[in-house]
Amino acid sequence: MVDTPGMREFGLSSLRRGELANYYPEIATLATACHFGDCAHIYEPGCAVKEAVHQGQLPASRHNSYQKIYHSLPA
Ligand SMILES: [Zn+2]
């Protein structure tokens, strides 16, 4: 399986960074436990999504995919 995430695959050219988690249901669920309400789940301390990856509850590949697309989106 080749994972080449990008805006074209999503078909949502108007998607912004803050909305990306909505397209990852498991990340959106975990995000409710993040320390910061506007957490990007990448750099923030107290991030429940990063913690879930660390504990093996969220596949790292899933988080990597999220991060790649996040950086391709407008802020
Ligand atoms: Zn987070």
Side-chain angles (χ1 to χ4, degrees), residues 11-55:
L12 297 164
S13 57
S14 63
L15 183 67
R16 305 187 81 84
R17 289 181 170 182
E19 298 161 345
L20 180 59
N22 296 335
Y23 294 87
Y24 290 82
E26 67 273 60
I27 290 181
T29 300
L30 290 162
T32 61
C34 287
H35 184 70
F36 296 107
D38 61 346
C39 185
H41 322 304
I42 294 175
Y43 312 109
E44 293 81 354
C47 176
V49 175
K50 287 196 302 179
E51 183 62 21
V53 174
H54 186 67
Q55 305 214 343

mmCIF file of all heavy atoms in Angstrom, residues 11-55:
data_model
loop_
_atom_site.group_PDB
_atom_site.id
_atom_site.type_symbol
_atom_site.label_atom_id
_atom_site.label_comp_id
_atom_site.label_asym_id
_atom_site.label_seq_id
_atom_site.Cartn_x
_atom_site.Cartn_y
_atom_site.Cartn_z
ATOM 1 N N GLY A 11 -9.445 16.048 -2.003
ATOM 2 C CA GLY A 11 -10.400 16.758 -2.830
ATOM 3 C C GLY A 11 -11.025 17.928 -2.106
ATOM 4 O O GLY A 11 -12.128 18.337 -2.414
ATOM 5 N N LEU A 12 -10.309 18.458 -1.142
ATOM 6 C CA LEU A 12 -10.846 19.561 -0.357
ATOM 7 C C LEU A 12 -9.828 20.688 -0.345
ATOM 8 O O LEU A 12 -9.052 20.833 0.594
ATOM 9 C CB LEU A 12 -11.122 19.106 1.080
ATOM 10 C CG LEU A 12 -12.183 18.010 1.227
ATOM 11 C CD1 LEU A 12 -12.103 17.370 2.593
ATOM 12 C CD2 LEU A 12 -13.566 18.584 1.008
ATOM 13 N N SER A 13 -9.848 21.485 -1.390
ATOM 14 C CA SER A 13 -8.836 22.524 -1.508
ATOM 15 C C SER A 13 -8.985 23.608 -0.459
ATOM 16 O O SER A 13 -8.069 24.374 -0.213
ATOM 17 C CB SER A 13 -8.878 23.148 -2.905
ATOM 18 O OG SER A 13 -10.171 23.652 -3.152
ATOM 19 N N SER A 14 -10.156 23.671 0.173
ATOM 20 C CA SER A 14 -10.372 24.724 1.163
ATOM 21 C C SER A 14 -10.063 24.251 2.579
ATOM 22 O O SER A 14 -10.222 24.999 3.528
ATOM 23 C CB SER A 14 -11.816 25.221 1.093
ATOM 24 O OG SER A 14 -12.699 24.173 1.417
ATOM 25 N N LEU A 15 -9.629 22.996 2.696
ATOM 26 C CA LEU A 15 -9.341 22.453 4.025
ATOM 27 C C LEU A 15 -8.197 23.210 4.686
ATOM 28 O O LEU A 15 -7.185 23.497 4.061
ATOM 29 C CB LEU A 15 -8.971 20.968 3.895
ATOM 30 C CG LEU A 15 -8.709 20.218 5.203
ATOM 31 C CD1 LEU A 15 -9.987 20.112 6.014
ATOM 32 C CD2 LEU A 15 -8.155 18.836 4.912
ATOM 33 N N ARG A 16 -8.369 23.538 5.946
ATOM 34 C CA ARG A 16 -7.328 24.226 6.702
ATOM 35 C C ARG A 16 -6.804 23.310 7.796
ATOM 36 O O ARG A 16 -7.440 22.326 8.151
ATOM 37 C CB ARG A 16 -7.873 25.525 7.292
ATOM 38 C CG ARG A 16 -8.474 26.437 6.231
ATOM 39 C CD ARG A 16 -8.855 27.785 6.794
ATOM 40 N NE ARG A 16 -7.713 28.666 6.900
ATOM 41 C CZ ARG A 16 -7.250 29.402 5.889
ATOM 42 N NH1 ARG A 16 -7.832 29.361 4.720
ATOM 43 N NH2 ARG A 16 -6.213 30.181 6.070
ATOM 44 N N ARG A 17 -5.637 23.697 8.311
ATOM 45 C CA ARG A 17 -4.961 22.836 9.284
ATOM 46 C C ARG A 17 -5.836 22.464 10.471
ATOM 47 O O ARG A 17 -5.851 21.326 10.906
ATOM 48 C CB ARG A 17 -3.688 23.523 9.783
ATOM 49 C CG ARG A 17 -2.619 23.550 8.709
ATOM 50 C CD ARG A 17 -1.359 24.209 9.206
ATOM 51 N NE ARG A 17 -0.279 24.013 8.224
ATOM 52 C CZ ARG A 17 0.966 24.441 8.389
ATOM 53 N NH1 ARG A 17 1.285 25.121 9.469
ATOM 54 N NH2 ARG A 17 1.866 24.209 7.466
ATOM 55 N N GLY A 18 -6.547 23.450 10.990
ATOM 56 C CA GLY A 18 -7.354 23.225 12.178
ATOM 57 C C GLY A 18 -8.507 22.260 11.961
ATOM 58 O O GLY A 18 -9.092 21.764 12.925
ATOM 59 N N GLU A 19 -8.827 21.998 10.685
ATOM 60 C CA GLU A 19 -9.963 21.113 10.391
ATOM 61 C C GLU A 19 -9.530 19.696 10.047
ATOM 62 O O GLU A 19 -10.364 18.795 9.926
ATOM 63 C CB GLU A 19 -10.752 21.687 9.200
ATOM 64 C CG GLU A 19 -11.336 23.050 9.485
ATOM 65 C CD GLU A 19 -11.712 23.796 8.199
ATOM 66 O OE1 GLU A 19 -11.269 23.385 7.110
ATOM 67 O OE2 GLU A 19 -12.419 24.789 8.305
ATOM 68 N N LEU A 20 -8.233 19.515 9.888
ATOM 69 C CA LEU A 20 -7.735 18.225 9.411
ATOM 70 C C LEU A 20 -8.116 17.060 10.327
ATOM 71 O O LEU A 20 -8.482 15.985 9.842
ATOM 72 C CB LEU A 20 -6.210 18.292 9.247
ATOM 73 C CG LEU A 20 -5.545 17.002 8.762
ATOM 74 C CD1 LEU A 20 -6.115 16.579 7.400
ATOM 75 C CD2 LEU A 20 -4.041 17.180 8.685
ATOM 76 N N ALA A 21 -8.050 17.262 11.623
ATOM 77 C CA ALA A 21 -8.334 16.169 12.556
ATOM 78 C C ALA A 21 -9.746 15.616 12.368
ATOM 79 O O ALA A 21 -10.005 14.458 12.691
ATOM 80 C CB ALA A 21 -8.133 16.626 14.002
ATOM 81 N N ASN A 22 -10.633 16.443 11.812
ATOM 82 C CA ASN A 22 -12.003 15.972 11.582
ATOM 83 C C ASN A 22 -12.044 14.809 10.596
ATOM 84 O O ASN A 22 -13.011 14.049 10.567
ATOM 85 C CB ASN A 22 -12.870 17.109 11.029
ATOM 86 C CG ASN A 22 -13.007 18.247 12.021
ATOM 87 O OD1 ASN A 22 -12.882 18.044 13.223
ATOM 88 N ND2 ASN A 22 -13.249 19.450 11.519
ATOM 89 N N TYR A 23 -10.990 14.697 9.789
ATOM 90 C CA TYR A 23 -10.944 13.632 8.786
ATOM 91 C C TYR A 23 -10.229 12.390 9.310
ATOM 92 O O TYR A 23 -10.058 11.414 8.588
ATOM 93 C CB TYR A 23 -10.285 14.156 7.501
ATOM 94 C CG TYR A 23 -11.156 15.221 6.888
ATOM 95 C CD1 TYR A 23 -11.023 16.553 7.278
ATOM 96 C CD2 TYR A 23 -12.156 14.886 5.980
ATOM 97 C CE1 TYR A 23 -11.860 17.529 6.766
ATOM 98 C CE2 TYR A 23 -12.998 15.849 5.467
ATOM 99 C CZ TYR A 23 -12.844 17.168 5.861
ATOM 100 O OH TYR A 23 -13.691 18.125 5.365
ATOM 101 N N TYR A 24 -9.789 12.466 10.544
ATOM 102 C CA TYR A 24 -9.194 11.313 11.226
ATOM 103 C C TYR A 24 -10.001 11.068 12.504
ATOM 104 O O TYR A 24 -9.656 11.608 13.553
ATOM 105 C CB TYR A 24 -7.734 11.611 11.595
ATOM 106 C CG TYR A 24 -6.799 11.689 10.410
ATOM 107 C CD1 TYR A 24 -6.700 12.849 9.661
ATOM 108 C CD2 TYR A 24 -6.006 10.592 10.076
ATOM 109 C CE1 TYR A 24 -5.838 12.915 8.580
ATOM 110 C CE2 TYR A 24 -5.136 10.657 9.002
ATOM 111 C CZ TYR A 24 -5.059 11.816 8.254
ATOM 112 O OH TYR A 24 -4.206 11.889 7.185
ATOM 113 N N PRO A 25 -11.063 10.287 12.380
ATOM 114 C CA PRO A 25 -11.980 10.120 13.526
ATOM 115 C C PRO A 25 -11.267 9.720 14.819
ATOM 116 O O PRO A 25 -11.611 10.237 15.891
ATOM 117 C CB PRO A 25 -12.916 8.998 13.058
ATOM 118 C CG PRO A 25 -12.859 9.048 11.574
ATOM 119 C CD PRO A 25 -11.477 9.509 11.219
ATOM 120 N N GLU A 26 -10.288 8.830 14.734
ATOM 121 C CA GLU A 26 -9.621 8.391 15.964
ATOM 122 C C GLU A 26 -8.782 9.512 16.553
ATOM 123 O O GLU A 26 -8.656 9.625 17.769
ATOM 124 C CB GLU A 26 -8.783 7.123 15.734
ATOM 125 C CG GLU A 26 -7.579 7.297 14.825
ATOM 126 C CD GLU A 26 -7.897 7.123 13.359
ATOM 127 O OE1 GLU A 26 -8.736 7.877 12.836
ATOM 128 O OE2 GLU A 26 -7.277 6.256 12.719
ATOM 129 N N ILE A 27 -8.220 10.382 15.705
ATOM 130 C CA ILE A 27 -7.451 11.523 16.207
ATOM 131 C C ILE A 27 -8.402 12.561 16.807
ATOM 132 O O ILE A 27 -8.127 13.111 17.871
ATOM 133 C CB ILE A 27 -6.583 12.139 15.085
ATOM 134 C CG1 ILE A 27 -5.448 11.158 14.738
ATOM 135 C CG2 ILE A 27 -6.026 13.501 15.502
ATOM 136 C CD1 ILE A 27 -4.503 11.658 13.656
ATOM 137 N N ALA A 28 -9.518 12.781 16.150
ATOM 138 C CA ALA A 28 -10.496 13.744 16.670
ATOM 139 C C ALA A 28 -10.986 13.319 18.050
ATOM 140 O O ALA A 28 -11.188 14.154 18.935
ATOM 141 C CB ALA A 28 -11.666 13.869 15.693
ATOM 142 N N THR A 29 -11.169 12.026 18.235
ATOM 143 C CA THR A 29 -11.625 11.507 19.528
ATOM 144 C C THR A 29 -10.552 11.715 20.594
ATOM 145 O O THR A 29 -10.837 12.203 21.687
ATOM 146 C CB THR A 29 -11.960 10.005 19.415
ATOM 147 O OG1 THR A 29 -12.992 9.841 18.447
ATOM 148 C CG2 THR A 29 -12.430 9.447 20.753
ATOM 149 N N LEU A 30 -9.305 11.374 20.256
ATOM 150 C CA LEU A 30 -8.207 11.535 21.200
ATOM 151 C C LEU A 30 -7.985 13.009 21.534
ATOM 152 O O LEU A 30 -7.628 13.366 22.651
ATOM 153 C CB LEU A 30 -6.913 10.959 20.603
ATOM 154 C CG LEU A 30 -6.857 9.433 20.471
ATOM 155 C CD1 LEU A 30 -5.762 9.031 19.499
ATOM 156 C CD2 LEU A 30 -6.628 8.797 21.831
ATOM 157 N N ALA A 31 -8.214 13.878 20.559
ATOM 158 C CA ALA A 31 -7.924 15.304 20.701
ATOM 159 C C ALA A 31 -8.720 15.956 21.825
ATOM 160 O O ALA A 31 -8.309 16.984 22.361
ATOM 161 C CB ALA A 31 -8.202 16.022 19.377
ATOM 162 N N THR A 32 -9.839 15.359 22.185
ATOM 163 C CA THR A 32 -10.645 15.950 23.255
ATOM 164 C C THR A 32 -9.893 15.922 24.583
ATOM 165 O O THR A 32 -10.240 16.660 25.503
ATOM 166 C CB THR A 32 -11.993 15.195 23.412
ATOM 167 O OG1 THR A 32 -11.726 13.835 23.747
ATOM 168 C CG2 THR A 32 -12.789 15.258 22.129
ATOM 169 N N ALA A 33 -8.861 15.073 24.670
ATOM 170 C CA ALA A 33 -8.083 14.975 25.910
ATOM 171 C C ALA A 33 -6.785 15.774 25.850
ATOM 172 O O ALA A 33 -6.008 15.768 26.806
ATOM 173 C CB ALA A 33 -7.779 13.504 26.216
ATOM 174 N N CYS A 34 -6.526 16.479 24.740
ATOM 175 C CA CYS A 34 -5.303 17.271 24.627
ATOM 176 C C CYS A 34 -5.314 18.436 25.613
ATOM 177 O O CYS A 34 -6.375 18.982 25.919
ATOM 178 C CB CYS A 34 -5.144 17.813 23.203
ATOM 179 S SG CYS A 34 -4.667 16.546 22.019
ATOM 180 N N HIS A 35 -4.119 18.824 26.039
ATOM 181 C CA HIS A 35 -4.006 19.900 27.011
ATOM 182 C C HIS A 35 -4.492 21.228 26.440
ATOM 183 O O HIS A 35 -5.163 22.000 27.110
ATOM 184 C CB HIS A 35 -2.555 20.024 27.470
ATOM 185 C CG HIS A 35 -2.347 21.045 28.540
ATOM 186 N ND1 HIS A 35 -2.819 20.867 29.823
ATOM 187 C CD2 HIS A 35 -1.750 22.247 28.507
ATOM 188 C CE1 HIS A 35 -2.504 21.941 30.539
ATOM 189 N NE2 HIS A 35 -1.859 22.790 29.768
ATOM 190 N N PHE A 36 -4.128 21.496 25.171
ATOM 191 C CA PHE A 36 -4.531 22.752 24.534
ATOM 192 C C PHE A 36 -5.695 22.509 23.580
ATOM 193 O O PHE A 36 -5.675 21.557 22.787
ATOM 194 C CB PHE A 36 -3.366 23.348 23.745
ATOM 195 C CG PHE A 36 -2.209 23.748 24.627
ATOM 196 C CD1 PHE A 36 -1.047 22.998 24.634
ATOM 197 C CD2 PHE A 36 -2.294 24.861 25.449
ATOM 198 C CE1 PHE A 36 0.029 23.357 25.451
ATOM 199 C CE2 PHE A 36 -1.232 25.230 26.270
ATOM 200 C CZ PHE A 36 -0.074 24.470 26.270
ATOM 201 N N GLY A 37 -6.679 23.370 23.640
ATOM 202 C CA GLY A 37 -7.856 23.225 22.795
ATOM 203 C C GLY A 37 -7.543 23.363 21.323
ATOM 204 O O GLY A 37 -8.223 22.785 20.479
ATOM 205 N N ASP A 38 -6.482 24.135 20.993
ATOM 206 C CA ASP A 38 -6.121 24.324 19.588
ATOM 207 C C ASP A 38 -4.894 23.491 19.221
ATOM 208 O O ASP A 38 -4.131 23.851 18.346
ATOM 209 C CB ASP A 38 -5.871 25.802 19.301
ATOM 210 C CG ASP A 38 -4.720 26.359 20.132
ATOM 211 O OD1 ASP A 38 -4.310 25.683 21.101
ATOM 212 O OD2 ASP A 38 -4.245 27.461 19.811
ATOM 213 N N CYS A 39 -4.716 22.397 19.927
ATOM 214 C CA CYS A 39 -3.564 21.517 19.729
ATOM 215 C C CYS A 39 -3.489 21.033 18.279
ATOM 216 O O CYS A 39 -4.493 20.616 17.705
ATOM 217 C CB CYS A 39 -3.695 20.316 20.665
ATOM 218 S SG CYS A 39 -2.277 19.219 20.647
ATOM 219 N N ALA A 40 -2.295 21.096 17.688
ATOM 220 C CA ALA A 40 -2.097 20.603 16.321
ATOM 221 C C ALA A 40 -1.674 19.138 16.326
ATOM 222 O O ALA A 40 -1.554 18.531 15.277
ATOM 223 C CB ALA A 40 -1.052 21.454 15.604
ATOM 224 N N HIS A 41 -1.400 18.591 17.488
ATOM 225 C CA HIS A 41 -0.994 17.194 17.667
ATOM 226 C C HIS A 41 0.358 16.903 17.025
ATOM 227 O O HIS A 41 0.589 15.818 16.507
ATOM 228 C CB HIS A 41 -2.062 16.236 17.127
ATOM 229 C CG HIS A 41 -3.456 16.710 17.381
ATOM 230 N ND1 HIS A 41 -3.904 17.004 18.647
ATOM 231 C CD2 HIS A 41 -4.481 16.980 16.533
ATOM 232 C CE1 HIS A 41 -5.173 17.415 18.552
ATOM 233 N NE2 HIS A 41 -5.528 17.426 17.300
ATOM 234 N N ILE A 42 1.212 17.889 17.004
ATOM 235 C CA ILE A 42 2.534 17.712 16.401
ATOM 236 C C ILE A 42 3.631 18.124 17.376
ATOM 237 O O ILE A 42 4.516 17.339 17.686
ATOM 238 C CB ILE A 42 2.641 18.511 15.087
ATOM 239 C CG1 ILE A 42 1.682 17.902 14.056
ATOM 240 C CG2 ILE A 42 4.079 18.451 14.545
ATOM 241 C CD1 ILE A 42 1.599 18.654 12.766
ATOM 242 N N TYR A 43 3.593 19.355 17.863
ATOM 243 C CA TYR A 43 4.673 19.866 18.714
ATOM 244 C C TYR A 43 4.270 20.030 20.178
ATOM 245 O O TYR A 43 5.115 20.164 21.043
ATOM 246 C CB TYR A 43 5.116 21.256 18.239
ATOM 247 C CG TYR A 43 5.372 21.379 16.766
ATOM 248 C CD1 TYR A 43 4.523 22.100 15.952
ATOM 249 C CD2 TYR A 43 6.500 20.783 16.201
ATOM 250 C CE1 TYR A 43 4.769 22.233 14.595
ATOM 251 C CE2 TYR A 43 6.745 20.899 14.847
ATOM 252 C CZ TYR A 43 5.871 21.628 14.047
ATOM 253 O OH TYR A 43 6.114 21.748 12.713
ATOM 254 N N GLU A 44 2.968 20.078 20.425
ATOM 255 C CA GLU A 44 2.477 20.530 21.716
ATOM 256 C C GLU A 44 2.761 19.565 22.873
ATOM 257 O O GLU A 44 2.617 18.364 22.725
ATOM 258 C CB GLU A 44 0.968 20.768 21.646
ATOM 259 C CG GLU A 44 0.583 21.918 20.744
ATOM 260 C CD GLU A 44 0.552 21.529 19.277
ATOM 261 O OE1 GLU A 44 0.936 20.394 18.943
ATOM 262 O OE2 GLU A 44 0.160 22.381 18.470
ATOM 263 N N PRO A 45 3.125 20.133 24.018
ATOM 264 C CA PRO A 45 3.205 19.297 25.224
ATOM 265 C C PRO A 45 1.786 18.960 25.679
ATOM 266 O O PRO A 45 0.853 19.705 25.398
ATOM 267 C CB PRO A 45 3.904 20.205 26.243
ATOM 268 C CG PRO A 45 3.616 21.600 25.776
ATOM 269 C CD PRO A 45 3.480 21.531 24.270
ATOM 270 N N GLY A 46 1.642 17.833 26.339
ATOM 271 C CA GLY A 46 0.325 17.440 26.839
ATOM 272 C C GLY A 46 -0.622 16.998 25.749
ATOM 273 O O GLY A 46 -1.837 17.004 25.944
ATOM 274 N N CYS A 47 -0.057 16.583 24.607
ATOM 275 C CA CYS A 47 -0.901 16.159 23.488
ATOM 276 C C CYS A 47 -1.323 14.697 23.672
ATOM 277 O O CYS A 47 -0.488 13.794 23.716
ATOM 278 C CB CYS A 47 -0.160 16.318 22.172
ATOM 279 S SG CYS A 47 -1.101 15.695 20.755
ATOM 280 N N ALA A 48 -2.616 14.469 23.731
ATOM 281 C CA ALA A 48 -3.139 13.112 23.942
ATOM 282 C C ALA A 48 -2.956 12.244 22.703
ATOM 283 O O ALA A 48 -2.883 11.020 22.803
ATOM 284 C CB ALA A 48 -4.620 13.185 24.312
ATOM 285 N N VAL A 49 -2.869 12.868 21.541
ATOM 286 C CA VAL A 49 -2.687 12.107 20.300
ATOM 287 C C VAL A 49 -1.269 11.543 20.242
ATOM 288 O O VAL A 49 -1.069 10.355 19.963
ATOM 289 C CB VAL A 49 -2.966 12.995 19.068
ATOM 290 C CG1 VAL A 49 -2.653 12.242 17.779
ATOM 291 C CG2 VAL A 49 -4.422 13.461 19.075
ATOM 292 N N LYS A 50 -0.293 12.392 20.545
ATOM 293 C CA LYS A 50 1.103 11.920 20.565
ATOM 294 C C LYS A 50 1.288 10.848 21.635
ATOM 295 O O LYS A 50 2.022 9.877 21.441
ATOM 296 C CB LYS A 50 2.062 13.093 20.815
ATOM 297 C CG LYS A 50 2.189 14.007 19.614
ATOM 298 C CD LYS A 50 3.406 14.909 19.733
ATOM 299 C CE LYS A 50 3.362 15.768 20.984
ATOM 300 N NZ LYS A 50 4.545 16.618 21.116
ATOM 301 N N GLU A 51 0.616 11.049 22.757
ATOM 302 C CA GLU A 51 0.697 10.075 23.850
ATOM 303 C C GLU A 51 0.124 8.720 23.396
ATOM 304 O O GLU A 51 0.671 7.667 23.715
ATOM 305 C CB GLU A 51 -0.064 10.609 25.065
ATOM 306 C CG GLU A 51 -0.003 9.720 26.286
ATOM 307 C CD GLU A 51 1.414 9.517 26.836
ATOM 308 O OE1 GLU A 51 2.297 10.339 26.553
ATOM 309 O OE2 GLU A 51 1.612 8.506 27.545
ATOM 310 N N ALA A 52 -0.966 8.766 22.638
ATOM 311 C CA ALA A 52 -1.591 7.532 22.144
ATOM 312 C C ALA A 52 -0.654 6.803 21.182
ATOM 313 O O ALA A 52 -0.597 5.575 21.168
ATOM 314 C CB ALA A 52 -2.914 7.853 21.458
ATOM 315 N N VAL A 53 0.090 7.551 20.371
ATOM 316 C CA VAL A 53 1.069 6.940 19.471
ATOM 317 C C VAL A 53 2.162 6.289 20.305
ATOM 318 O O VAL A 53 2.547 5.140 20.069
ATOM 319 C CB VAL A 53 1.688 7.992 18.521
ATOM 320 C CG1 VAL A 53 2.814 7.369 17.696
ATOM 321 C CG2 VAL A 53 0.619 8.568 17.596
ATOM 322 N N HIS A 54 2.605 7.026 21.312
ATOM 323 C CA HIS A 54 3.664 6.542 22.191
ATOM 324 C C HIS A 54 3.254 5.244 22.883
ATOM 325 O O HIS A 54 4.065 4.338 23.078
ATOM 326 C CB HIS A 54 3.987 7.629 23.222
ATOM 327 C CG HIS A 54 5.154 7.315 24.088
ATOM 328 N ND1 HIS A 54 6.444 7.246 23.594
ATOM 329 C CD2 HIS A 54 5.233 7.051 25.407
ATOM 330 C CE1 HIS A 54 7.262 6.940 24.593
ATOM 331 N NE2 HIS A 54 6.558 6.817 25.694
ATOM 332 N N GLN A 55 2.006 5.135 23.256
ATOM 333 C CA GLN A 55 1.516 3.964 23.979
ATOM 334 C C GLN A 55 0.999 2.870 23.054
ATOM 335 O O GLN A 55 0.503 1.840 23.515
ATOM 336 C CB GLN A 55 0.393 4.394 24.936
ATOM 337 C CG GLN A 55 0.832 5.494 25.876
ATOM 338 C CD GLN A 55 0.182 5.387 27.243
ATOM 339 O OE1 GLN A 55 -0.818 4.694 27.420
ATOM 340 N NE2 GLN A 55 0.754 6.062 28.212
#
